[in-house]
Amino acid sequence: MSKRGYAASKKLLTGLIGAPIAHSASPAMHECAAEALGLRGHYQLIEVAGADAAGLRMMLEGVRRLGFAGVNITYPYKEAVVPLLDALAPGAAAMGAVNTVVVRDGRLTGHNTDTTGFARAVAPLLAPADNAVAVIGAGGVGKAIAFALASLGVTDIRILDSEPARAETLVALLAPRGGARVAASVEEALDGATGLVNGTPVGMLPNRDTPVPAVLLRSDLWVADAVYSPLITPLLAAARDKGARIMTGRELAIYQAADAFELFTGLAPSTEVMGEAFDAVMAARSAAYQAA
């Protein structure tokens, strides 16, 4: 749909399905991006915990019928939503995880902008010699991160998950794209690795844990975290203390949102505008946290 078509229509209605999501910066990013393009956007948080397949199907049917251009999907539904959609983009089908659902002509199509977003975010950190990267978590986010790393030419991806079967499934999915293997422990995953990515919710407020003991972190390692609440997670704080290069969840949050917005509208949003909106949300949250 053209910009003129969206501006002349009712609100550009998009949203997010997941739980917990009250902390999400997505509404601010999407609504500010829409406003900058002259659109009237509303981004609705749809927080439902513990939904089964029937509950998810009901929510998606509402998305289909209520005029949504699309919705994002987050924890814990990125994999559960896959069989409930009408179609999948090739990347989402390959990994079996969806974070963006586009509504077109009454059909729901799943995409994964976590993959494209993370690839854009992490590319500046990667050096030609970065062929061994440890990925903690093999769920929806971990899958997207691993596929992004493979697309960037990383040939030795070590997958560690609390459920080994999930790690084995992800390694099998990555087989056509290059080298990936299951790590039996954090120590094994980090042995000789040049990079580490946390693709789990560990460290997201109010949780203050870390998926990797500080003693295993090194100054010659780059460390990224998909969590952005807080920006400096316990993992990133420990890595920074060791002299490691770090990447917060900020860039992933912005780039995946920008790619999703373009899928929803056909229009490329300003990542600068989205970044400013993200930073404002985080600054307000930090002030509120310090005042509490």
Side-chain angles (χ1 to χ4, degrees), residues 222-239:
W222 60 260
V223 181
D225 205 321
V227 171
Y228 68 74
S229 181
L231 274 179
I232 302 299
T233 61
L235 171 64
L236 293 182

Side-chain angles (χ1 to χ4, degrees), residues 78 82 87-100 109-116 140 143-148 151 170 173-174 177 263:
K78 292 184 180 185
V82 169
L88 295 171
M95 73 183 74
V98 162
N99 83 316
T100 301
T109 301
H111 301 259
N112 199 301
T113 67
D114 283 334
T115 298
T116 56
K143 282 182 173 181
I145 288 167
F147 271 76
S151 76
L170 178 51
L173 291 173
L174 287 166
R177 288 165 169 76
L263 286 171

Side-chain angles (χ1 to χ4, degrees), residues 61-89:
E61 193 59 28
V63 167
R64 188 199 309 271
R65 293 176 178 271
L66 295 176
F68 280 80
V71 291
N72 290 123
I73 308 293
T74 191
Y75 180 85
Y77 302 127
K78 292 184 180 185
E79 295 166 294
V81 76
V82 169
L84 306 177
L85 303 175
D86 299 311
L88 295 171

Side-chain angles (χ1 to χ4, degrees), residues 27-278:
M29 288 193 290
H30 280 263
E31 290 175 4
C32 288
E35 182 179 4
L37 288 167
L39 310 179
R40 295 183 298 146
H42 176 70
Y43 191 95
Q44 179 67 42
L45 293 181
I46 306 169
E47 180 166 344
V48 179
D52 58 11
L56 275 176
R57 185 177 289 108
M58 186 180 303
M59 283 185 272
L60 291 170
E61 193 59 28
V63 167
R64 188 199 309 271
R65 293 176 178 271
L66 295 176
F68 280 80
V71 291
N72 290 123
I73 308 293
T74 191
Y75 180 85
Y77 302 127
K78 292 184 180 185
E79 295 166 294
V81 76
V82 169
L84 306 177
L85 303 175
D86 299 311
L88 295 171
M95 73 183 74
V98 162
N99 83 316
T100 301
V101 176
V102 175
V103 183
R104 288 289 184 276
D105 301 321
R107 287 174 56 80
L108 305 180
T109 301
H111 301 259
N112 199 301
T113 67
D114 283 334
T115 298
T116 56
F118 186 78
R120 292 170 68 181
V122 80
L125 271 181
L126 289 176
D130 285 340
N131 289 322
V133 177
V135 177
I136 311 299
V141 175
K143 282 182 173 181
I145 288 167
F147 271 76
L149 291 169
S151 76
L152 293 171
V154 178
T155 57
D156 183 5
I157 303 172
R158 293 91 176 272
I159 310 295
L160 177 67
D161 193 274
S162 58
E163 299 179 28
R166 289 209 307 182
E168 291 167 3
T169 297
L170 178 51
V171 166
L173 291 173
L174 287 166
R177 288 165 169 76
R181 58 188 173 92
V182 176
S185 65
V186 177
E187 290 84 356
E188 181 182 327
L190 288 176
D191 185 21
T194 54
L196 163 68
V197 188
N198 175 37
T200 76
V202 175
M204 181 187 297
L205 288 173
N207 182 285
R208 299 301 292 157
D209 296 331
T210 177
V212 178
V215 69
L216 298 179
L217 300 173
R218 314 183 304 268
S219 61
D220 62 346
L221 198 66
W222 60 260
V223 181
D225 205 321
V227 171
Y228 68 74
S229 181
L231 274 179
I232 302 299
T233 61
L235 171 64
L236 293 182
R240 187 174 58 185
D241 288 345
K242 290 294 182 76
R245 291 178 296 155
I246 65 170
M247 185 182 86
T248 71
R250 178 184 186 273
E251 283 70 27
L252 170 58
I254 293 167
Y255 288 137
Q256 66 79 23
D259 289 350
F261 186 97
E262 186 164 0
L263 286 171
F264 294 149
T265 66
L267 304 171
S270 166
T271 54
E272 182 177 351
V273 167
M274 286 187 143
E276 290 172 354
F278 177 91

